[in-house]
Amino acid sequence: MANVAVIGAQWGDEGKGKVVDWLASRADVVVRFQGGHNAGHTLVVGNQTYKLSLLPSGLVRGKLCVIGNGVVVDPDALLAEIERVRGQGLSVGPDVLRVAENAVLILPVHPALDKAREEARGDKKIGTTGRGIGPAYEDKVARRAIRVADLAEPETLSAKLDETLLHYNTLLRGLGVAEFGKEELLNKLLALAPKILPYAEPAWERLDELRRGGKRILFEGAQAVMLDVDHGTYPFVTSSNTVAATASAGSGVGPGAVGFVLGIAKAYTTRVGSGPFPTELHDEIGKHLGERGREFGVVTGRPRRCGWFDAALVRQAVKVGGVQGLALTKLDILDGLPELKICTGYRINGKHYKHLPAAPGAQAAAVPEYEVMEGWSGSSHGARSWADLPAQAVKYVRRIEELVEAPVTLLSTSPERDDTIMVRDPFAD
Ligand code: IMO
Ligand code: MG
């Protein structure tokens, strides 16, 4: 029985939450494997809207959910989110939520440094979510991170905090920002321990058992391939690998367990934060997409930058991300536009490029090469079959398939759970 990994194929906010929620009904367990509470996944179910940042989207379906070792976990954010969704009537306890004991914790020093650095960068800022994601991943590879399991060992916590504070207070002092005291942090962690530890376990072992029992696993990616720390528009990226391969390392299963890789892309392009965005529109159409698509960050509330669909970018994401099928979302936002453009490549300093090169100067200078298509006057909103779609909308989707070199296997035509057209069941292998 196949498992499925869902990843973003642009710069995030492609509608991964809705797609994961929809697929979760077919899965037994949903696993987050990278990122942290920088993600913002919105799920609309009837008259309820759930906004999840750290909790896997399978919770809304009452599925077993796992926060894998590749995730950076802010314990305060986790507990606050659990309380928030409990307030919306979901039941969340250690019976449905498990957290990998070897996941890295985000402590108050991390957002403090994240924000102080962004401040210091001035107009060169990355536009991070300010949630400490980057510094927490730095600690992990620097081998000084405090992890979930450490909460059970007060002496380990105390020793690790010495190293943490030596590092962070030195940096914060240099940036002219308030330093942290050890006692306060240690007491905080000791108080969090009994609240977090009931969720902790060797998640890899549970996933292994589930797998051997023939259960279906859905791996829920956060962010997107163009924000991947290796393959994205570096340095304007997040600090984790967002490609499907990470589902394996970030949850403790072998690469063969990942299964079908579904990439999510909007029918146009958006980006929050700074960095290159060749098809960005600064005109009325960009404004129209933003308003009609309600393009505001779930996490930060910032308006998203909007532009035409960039097939060259998504094609690259398909290749490096391992995408086998594409879920195209928000097609309905394009309803009524007389003319649509699709970027097929770039012109950079007089030369044609099929894909964005890695050098930041070249990325910033990239001018899109467009193909123009006729729009459609009918409505695709809420369509649940190909027959419900305007003929020209179908043509648009078909052209995207050709250009990105991947089939569209799922189409989402509104935020509502059931307004979805399935072409191929990703679990059906
Ligand atoms: P979902 O899962 C969109 C962006 C930030 C910033 C950059 C680095 O909802 O698609 P970070 O705080 O991660 O160090 O910020 O990455 N970013 C996202 N953009 N959607 C997200 O998640 C994002 N998570 C991070 O805006 O440009
Ligand atoms: Mg988001």
Side-chain angles (χ1 to χ4, degrees):
M1 206 170 295
N3 297 323
V4 174
V6 168
I7 62 167
Q10 293 162 321
W11 278 295
D13 307 319
E14 300 93 349
K16 294 181 287 291
K18 171 184 159 165
V19 173
V20 171
D21 168 56
W22 195 77
L23 290 174
S25 63
R26 293 175 156 71
D28 299 297
V29 48
V30 181
V31 186
R32 276 279 308 266
F33 55 87
Q34 47 72 231
H37 65 315
N38 49 347
H41 297 172
T42 305
L43 287 68
V44 180
V45 183
N47 55 9
Q48 280 276 24
T49 298
Y50 301 94
K51 290 186 185 295
L52 304 177
S53 283
L54 191 51
L55 294 172
S57 298
L59 267 186
V60 177
R61 298 270 188 177
K63 299 288 171 162
L64 176 66
C65 287
V66 174
I67 295 180
N69 57 277
V71 175
V72 283
V73 180
D74 182 323
D76 288 319
L78 177 65
L79 295 171
E81 196 169 317
I82 289 174
E83 279 316 307
R84 189 155 49 76
V85 297
R86 275 187 186 148
Q88 289 187 278
L90 295 185
S91 120
V92 189
D95 53 331
V96 289
L97 178 66
R98 310 304 297 161
V99 181
E101 60 176 6
N102 50 346
V104 164
L105 291 178
I106 297 183
L107 307 181
V109 293
H110 297 123
L113 184 64
D114 191 355
K115 288 175 201 155
R117 271 195 197 140
E118 283 283 90
E119 187 89 3
R121 285 184 184 115
D123 62 7
K124 292 194 175 57
K125 71 176 191 294
I126 293 167
T128 71
T129 59
R131 296 196 156 185
I133 307 295
Y137 277 115
E138 287 170 32
D139 281 6
K140 172 170 158 168
V141 293
R143 295 165 292 188
R144 65 173 163 256
I146 293 178
R147 309 197 300 177
V148 172
D150 299 341
L151 292 171
E153 297 182 357
E155 279 161 23
T156 304
L157 281 180
S158 174
K160 281 195 167 182
L161 270 180
D162 286 333
E163 193 181 349
T164 304
L165 288 176
L166 173 66
H167 182 78
Y168 281 90
N169 282 342
T170 308
L171 289 169
L172 292 171
R173 202 176 311 134
L175 288 161
V177 176
E179 297 174 38
F180 285 84
K182 178 172 175 187
E183 200 168 303
E184 190 194 335
L185 275 181
L186 184 58
N187 289 338
K188 180 181 176 61
L189 288 172
L190 292 173
L192 281 166
K195 298 181 188 160
I196 298 294
L197 286 171
Y199 295 97
E201 69 175 19
W204 68 269
E205 210 167 9
R206 179 179 292 270
L207 292 173
D208 183 56
E209 271 164 32
L210 288 165
R211 230 165 68 71
R212 282 188 290 123
K215 303 292 187 197
R216 289 169 159 184
I217 307 173
L218 179 55
F219 297 95
E220 176 179 11
Q223 291 81 50
V225 176
M226 286 301 141
L227 290 171
D228 181 286
V229 68
D230 286 293
H231 298 288
T233 44
Y234 193 90
F236 300 98
V237 293
T238 191
S239 295
S240 64
N241 283 110
T242 57
V243 291
T246 313
S248 160
S251 61
V253 302
V258 173
F260 187 85
V261 179
L262 186 67
I264 319 293
K266 268 182 213 179
Y268 48 100
T269 313
T270 66
R271 170 162 212 177
V272 276
S274 336
F277 181 174
T279 64
E280 182 170 14
L281 291 167
H282 297 284
D283 59 5
E284 283 305 307
I285 297 174
K287 220 174 119 201
H288 170 80
L289 293 174
E291 282 166 9
R292 179 130 189 223
R294 292 199 208 106
E295 299 293 354
F296 292 93
V298 173
V299 170
T300 56
R302 289 179 293 190
R304 297 180 185 136
R305 301 153 66 191
C306 298
W308 294 120
F309 187 82
D310 189 338
L313 191 89
V314 175
R315 186 170 51 223
Q316 186 174 345
V318 162
K319 312 241 179 227
V320 301
V323 171
Q324 293 163 288
L326 208 64
L328 202 63
T329 62
K330 298 187 111 170
L331 184 67
D332 59 308
I333 305 305
L334 301 178
D335 286 356
L337 287 175
E339 187 182 271
L340 303 170
K341 290 185 185 173
I342 303 179
C343 171
T344 57
Y346 312 98
R347 186 147 285 275
I348 303 171
N349 303 325
K351 222 175 119 197
H352 164 77
Y353 286 80
K354 194 173 176 195
H355 296 118
L356 271 186
Q363 289 186 354
V367 178
E369 295 169 338
Y370 283 122
E371 194 174 286
V372 181
M373 281 187 80
E374 200 184 304
W376 53 90
S377 53
S379 167
S380 68
H381 186 79
R384 293 184 184 185
S385 76
W386 288 102
D388 292 343
L389 291 175
Q392 196 57 31
V394 176
K395 270 195 195 159
Y396 182 71
V397 175
R398 294 294 179 219
R399 188 62 188 135
I400 283 177
E401 287 185 313
E402 282 170 9
L403 288 169
V404 306
E405 297 173 22
V408 170
T409 57
L410 206 77
L411 203 62
S412 161
T413 56
S414 98
E416 271 290 336
R417 183 185 264 180
D418 295 323
D419 292 340
T420 304
I421 302 173
M422 184 167 71
V423 185
R424 177 190 188 282
D425 181 353
F427 281 112
D429 266 329

